[in-house]
Structures are given as C-alpha cells and as structure tokens.
Amino acid sequence: MDTQAPPEPTGQVPPQEDIVPGPPIRLLFRDVIADCLSDRRPPQAAMLLDSEVAPFWGNRSFLADFYNDILHQDTCQPTTADGIVLLAALAVDDRVPARHRFEAMQLLFNAATVTDRHLAESWPATPLHADLDSEARTRSAVQACTPDLLARWSAECPANRLALAGLAVLFPTGRTLPALTPRLRGFTRQHPPGTDVGDYVRFILVLASQDANQTLAATEEFTDAYWTGTPRAAPTRARALHLLGEMLARVKTGLIRSNGGQ
C-alpha cells in the first residue's frame, strides 16, 4: 500500500501543455502564426499564443473576438496596422481552410478601405471615430502584403479569387489591372448580370478601367438596384469602395449558404 501523502499544492502555474488550448481553429491559427512569424509578434497574436483561454470560446466566438481585436468594430486603431501581418500569414497558408482564407482577405480589404467606406457613409459629416493616421498606416500595411497574396491566384479556389480581385483593384498596378480581365472572364460567363458574383465581377472590371465616368455610372446603377445607397455628393472612389465592400460581404454570405453554413 502506498502510504505517501499527495504533494502539497505549490501555487505554480501548470506547464503549458497541461492548459486547455481552446477551440480547434485557434490551435490551427496558433500553429500557422508560430511557424510564419517567429520573430514578429504583434499584440493581437496574444489571443493565439497566450496560455489563457476564454471559457466561452467556440470556433465562431473565437474568430469574432480575434478579428475584432485586429479591426475593432470596423475602425482602425494605433495597433491595427501591426495586426495586418497576422491576416496576411493566415491568408497564404494552405493549412488554413479556404473559407477562413477568404475571411482573412475580406478583412484585409475592409481594413484598407475604412477611410473611404466611412466617408461615403457619413458624407458630408466627418466619420465618427476616424483615426486618419492609423487608417493610413493600415492601408499601407495591406498594400505591402497584397503582392504575395496575388501571387497565389492560380493556386486559390474560385471563391478566394474573388477576394483577391477586390484587393487587386484596390491597389492597381500596371501588371495587375491588365491581368484582371482575362482572369475574370470565366466568372462573367458562368455568373450572369443580376447575380451577386456576376455583379461583383463586372463592377471590379469597371473599376479596373480607371474611368471616373464609368465608375460613377456603375456605382449609381448597382446601388439603385441592390445595395445600400450613399450620398451622391460623396467622392466617387469612396462610394465605389463602399459598394464593393457590400458586394464582397454578399458574396461571402452566398458562399456560406452554399456550404451549409460552414
């Protein structure tokens, strides 16, 4: 018979491996970030790498908290630009499921367009909670990672190519714009006007033309037909990016429905 008494509690924190690590998607994101960003840990990485786990976290609640920690309630804060590197790392890693790569790219688009979208919504008033310095740094951070994302075009699924197209037209270059039309031709054949994907792609092609009159006309047409209107006196680019963001959100909703909510 073992007559030894159990050891006295020491008050020490148990080893890392003994701590419940949280929902599966957190574990996956943590592995990707630990592998890709061993020397750069923005503050938002604490949600992935720290030992403490919120007791209410499931996959969905964790994702909501994690994304909100980067782009807080669709506004840029001083640390938002630092967190962009996390989204970029998740968006290019094939271990991350395609739907979550799409969400990372959509959040990159949203973060880079905060200034324009909020301007279109609030015109002629000044957007509430605007932080122009943080917004500019965030936009630059997204622009810096966009070439690596676009380089994955051929490896990405069709849905994620739609998100990439949004980033391509947001940061146009002499190489990306001419490549968009042939790359999107298949979408225009498969998705007629009046469908969410079809209208999204056609609007991107209008923006890629960089013709201000065509952009204004298309923004008016699509806004009146389907999406939330913005003041007509607001700058055309702001209105166009606001509309493109709404379209991308609608595309995401359709993708979720087609996958049974997963």
Side-chain angles (χ1 to χ4, degrees):
M1 177 183 297
D2 185 0
T3 59
Q4 287 186 330
E8 291 287 335
T10 64
Q12 295 179 347
V13 177
Q16 177 79 23
E17 59 268 21
D18 293 338
I19 299 175
V20 178
I25 196 65
R26 180 185 186 242
L27 301 184
L28 175 59
F29 281 15
R30 183 183 67 177
D31 289 345
V32 170
I33 296 305
D35 291 345
C36 297
L37 301 175
S38 59
D39 60 341
R40 287 189 297 169
R41 298 287 172 82
Q44 298 92 337
M47 291 189 66
L48 304 175
L49 304 173
D50 282 4
S51 58
E52 294 184 4
V53 177
F56 55 83
W57 270 349
N59 270 5
R60 289 187 179 181
S61 56
F62 164 74
L63 287 169
D65 284 353
F66 176 64
Y67 292 144
N68 189 61
D69 202 37
I70 297 175
L71 185 64
H72 182 65
Q73 297 182 356
D74 200 33
T75 61
C76 290
Q77 299 180 327
T79 59
T80 301
D82 298 326
I84 293 302
V85 68
L86 298 175
L87 297 175
L90 296 171
V92 299
D93 197 298
D94 287 323
R95 287 174 291 179
V96 177
R99 175 190 163 186
H100 296 297
R101 296 201 306 276
F102 181 99
E103 290 180 343
M105 288 184 276
Q106 182 192 22
L107 195 59
L108 287 170
F109 177 91
N110 289 344
T113 58
V114 163
T115 300
D116 292 293
R117 292 185 296 105
H118 290 184
L119 181 64
E121 291 170 354
S122 63
W123 186 269
T126 300
L128 292 175
H129 313 299
D131 181 342
L132 296 181
D133 179 65
S134 295
E135 292 166 12
R137 291 194 303 109
T138 297
R139 177 182 170 85
S140 294
V142 176
Q143 185 173 13
C145 71
T146 295
D148 288 341
L149 293 169
L150 294 178
R152 287 180 49 86
W153 181 280
S154 60
E156 278 294 357
C157 64
N160 287 357
R161 291 177 185 178
L162 296 175
L164 289 176
L167 289 171
V169 79
L170 179 59
F171 301 111
T173 71
R175 293 184 61 187
T176 58
L177 290 187
L180 270 180
T181 299
R183 287 181 173 183
L184 294 177
R185 188 172 293 123
F187 286 103
T188 59
R189 288 195 295 262
Q190 297 171 21
H191 301 276
T195 62
D196 291 342
V197 172
D199 286 349
Y200 175 80
V201 170
R202 286 167 178 81
F203 190 51
I204 282 180
L205 292 175
V206 170
L207 296 182
S209 72
Q210 297 188 297
D211 184 297
N213 291 329
Q214 290 184 28
T215 297
L216 178 59
T219 300
E220 293 283 346
E221 176 187 355
F222 285 124
T223 297
D224 289 345
Y226 302 108
W227 284 274
T228 303
T230 47
R232 283 184 163 82
T236 297
R237 176 179 172 81
R239 296 185 65 202
L241 293 181
H242 181 276
L243 175 58
L244 191 61
E246 287 196 306
M247 287 180 161
L248 186 57
R250 185 81 68 88
V251 169
K252 173 186 172 182
T253 299
L255 295 174
I256 293 174
R257 288 175 178 168
S258 66
N259 286 289
Q262 298 300 313

